[in-house]
């Protein structure tokens, strides 16, 4: 089969279409003819040689896909050849075919095509896990979502609002702030124009925010702690700004009984991902079907333009997902 190959660790110029072995599904897996996949920051890190795939995973880039079932393992009784599915992968999405456990495949929502569905799995499952499994977000809570115009950010805003939460968010341009507000954010702050904590504290009042989703890390540490209220939860999804806060103190963690949780989804066990997928499907699929949730796609590239797609993501200009159309 054709697949995107990384010739050697490095820049986007190391990506090219080549040949790879056709994967074979196990008894509990589906073989899917991939019609679209989507970019994630992990793809860039793996291309650079900084984020190897977990043991047993495909070395091919791509943490999600959508397409049509081509072959059904004998234990996958809920699926048939020709079904449209999407889902999360440990790797292998940048290819003509991919295998996925039947329990991690999801039906493409009504009214969406497979290109649109390819933009759902990674960001919505990451956001769902962070908000509800780790952040224990409740109706009426206040949540601060950093990188609100990113793929995970646009998913998290929608999930939180559909759950009845008040959403504050940060982003780096007027266009991105407008996008966050259009998705339902109650307050959108430009982090390039000054500290965000004073505005969050003013909007949240003395009770602060209950949950923060952070992708930046060290530069936001002190402001995040200041923004959290009693029993607040800081969920750290990435550390794009660094890992060593300058003004680190454990005092507020005791005084406000704060919780810090770090998370990555790719390295989770298969059983964890299956349970997360089922839990997410129960809550979210009906909301995709009726339009309360929707994938946010910035650009669609044909997969023979994968180098340009990676360069575009590295420029950090996208609002929502960048999709590769395989066919």
């Amino acid at each position: 089969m054709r697949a995107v190959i990384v010739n050697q660790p490095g820049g986007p110029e190391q990506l090219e279409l080549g040949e790879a072995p056709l994967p074979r599904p196990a008894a509990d897996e589906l073989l899917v003819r991939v019609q679209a996949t989507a970019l994630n920051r992990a793809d860039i890190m793996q291309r650079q040689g900084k984020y190897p795939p977990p043991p047993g995973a495909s070395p091919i880039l791509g943490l999600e896909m959508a397409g049509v079932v081509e072959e059904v393992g004998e234990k996958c009784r809920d699926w048939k050849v020709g079904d449209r599915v999407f889902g999360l992968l440990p790797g292998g999405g940048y290819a003509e075919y991919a295998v996925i456990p039947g329990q991690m495949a999801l039906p493409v929502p009504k009214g969406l095509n497979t290109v649109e569905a390819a933009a759902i799995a990674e960001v919505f499952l990451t956001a769902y896990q962070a908000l509800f499994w780790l952040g224990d977000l409740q109706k009426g809570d206040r949540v601060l979502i950093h990188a609100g115009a990113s793929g995970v950010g646009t998913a998290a805003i929608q999930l939180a609002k559909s759950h009845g939460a008040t959403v504050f968010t940060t982003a780096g341009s007027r266009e991105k702030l407008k996008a966050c507000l259009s998705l339902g954010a109650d307050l959108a702050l430009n982090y390039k124009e000054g500290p965000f904590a004073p505005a969050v504290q003013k909007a949240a009042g003395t009770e602060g925010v209950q949950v923060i989703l952070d992708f930046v890390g060290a530069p936001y540490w002190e402001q995040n702690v200041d923004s959290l209220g009693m029993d607040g939860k800081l969920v750290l999804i990435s550390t794009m700004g660094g890992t060593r806060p300058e003004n680190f103190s454990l005092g507020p963690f005791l005084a406000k009984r704060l919780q810090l949780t770090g998370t990555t989804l790719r390295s989770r066990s298969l059983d964890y991902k299956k349970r997360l997928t089922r839990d997410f499907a129960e809550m979210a699929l009906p909301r995709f079907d009726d339009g309360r949730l929707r994938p946010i796609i910035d650009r669609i590239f044909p997969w023979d333009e994968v180098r340009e797609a990676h360069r575009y993501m590295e420029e950090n200009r996208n609002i929502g997902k960048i999709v590769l159309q395989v066919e």
Side-chain angles (χ1 to χ4, degrees):
M1 67 172 182
R2 291 186 303 161
V4 174
I5 306 299
V6 182
N7 288 317
Q8 62 182 29
E13 71 279 357
Q14 297 299 332
L15 301 172
E16 66 176 27
L17 280 177
E19 294 293 324
L22 179 70
R24 302 306 309 162
D28 62 347
E29 293 179 327
L30 307 173
L31 178 66
V32 178
R33 178 164 48 84
V34 178
Q35 296 182 327
T37 184
L39 273 63
N40 292 282
R41 292 283 173 185
D43 301 340
I44 291 175
M45 294 175 64
Q46 183 175 333
R47 186 203 73 215
Q48 295 169 337
K50 300 176 181 178
Y51 191 22
S58 170
I60 297 170
L61 301 181
L63 302 182
E64 57 194 323
M65 62 81 213
V68 177
V69 174
E70 192 89 352
E71 189 175 330
V72 179
E74 60 187 26
K75 294 183 180 179
C76 296
R77 298 181 177 85
D78 295 331
W79 300 104
K80 65 181 185 301
V81 172
D83 284 343
R84 299 189 311 152
V85 299
F86 73 98
L88 195 67
L89 302 170
Y94 288 27
E96 285 185 306
Y97 293 91
V99 293
I100 184 171
Q103 293 186 49
M104 285 180 59
L106 294 167
V108 172
K110 299 173 184 175
L112 297 184
N113 57 40
T114 49
V115 173
E116 294 166 323
I120 295 175
E122 177 68 22
V123 293
F124 273 93
L125 282 162
T126 296
Y128 183 87
Q129 176 203 215
L131 289 170
F132 303 116
W133 278 29
L134 304 178
D136 192 29
L137 187 72
Q138 302 295 312
K139 183 178 181 180
D141 279 354
R142 290 172 293 279
V143 59
L144 172 58
I145 299 167
H146 292 303
S150 67
V152 177
T154 57
I157 291 171
Q158 294 182 74
L159 286 168
K161 287 302 295 184
S162 72
H163 193 64
T166 298
V167 175
F168 308 143
T169 189
T170 63
S173 71
R174 182 171 297 180
E175 183 184 14
K176 290 183 176 182
L177 296 176
K178 286 179 62 178
C180 293
L181 293 169
S182 72
L183 291 172
D186 299 279
L187 176 67
L189 302 167
N190 191 332
Y191 65 84
K192 295 180 180 178
E193 295 179 352
F196 60 82
V200 171
Q201 290 171 308
K202 181 178 179 181
T206 57
E207 294 183 356
V209 300
Q210 284 70 49
V211 182
I212 296 178
L213 305 192
D214 184 28
F215 309 82
V216 178
Y220 283 6
W221 177 262
E222 196 168 5
Q223 292 192 78
N224 281 339
V225 171
D226 289 344
S227 299
L228 285 167
M230 193 67 70
D231 296 309
K233 299 176 178 67
L234 172 57
V235 182
L236 191 63
I237 300 172
S238 184
T239 54
M240 295 177 65
T243 59
R244 297 181 181 274
E246 289 186 9
N247 298 309
F248 178 82
S249 172
L250 292 174
F253 274 75
L254 290 174
K256 295 198 283 187
R257 301 191 300 263
L258 303 181
Q259 296 180 36
L260 168 65
T261 303
T263 183
T264 58
L265 185 54
R266 188 182 193 183
S267 61
R268 298 281 189 178
S269 70
L270 181 59
D271 180 67
Y272 182 98
K273 292 176 185 177
K274 288 178 179 178
R275 290 187 289 112
L276 178 65
T277 297
R278 291 195 296 269
D279 206 35
F280 168 78
E282 183 177 350
M283 180 266 204
L285 286 184
R287 303 183 190 201
F288 279 107
D289 286 340
D290 65 19
R292 283 178 288 170
L293 298 176
R294 58 190 177 93
I296 305 301
I297 297 175
D298 183 283
R299 284 188 64 179
I300 300 169
F301 289 84
W303 74 327
D304 58 1
E305 296 180 13
V306 62
R307 295 177 180 178
E308 289 74 15
H310 272 234
R311 291 188 184 101
Y312 185 70
M313 172 168 269
E314 289 177 321
E315 292 169 358
N316 200 33
R317 291 190 286 127
N318 57 296
I319 296 174
K321 293 288 285 184
I322 301 166
V323 172
L324 286 180
Q325 189 164 5
V326 176
E327 62 173 41

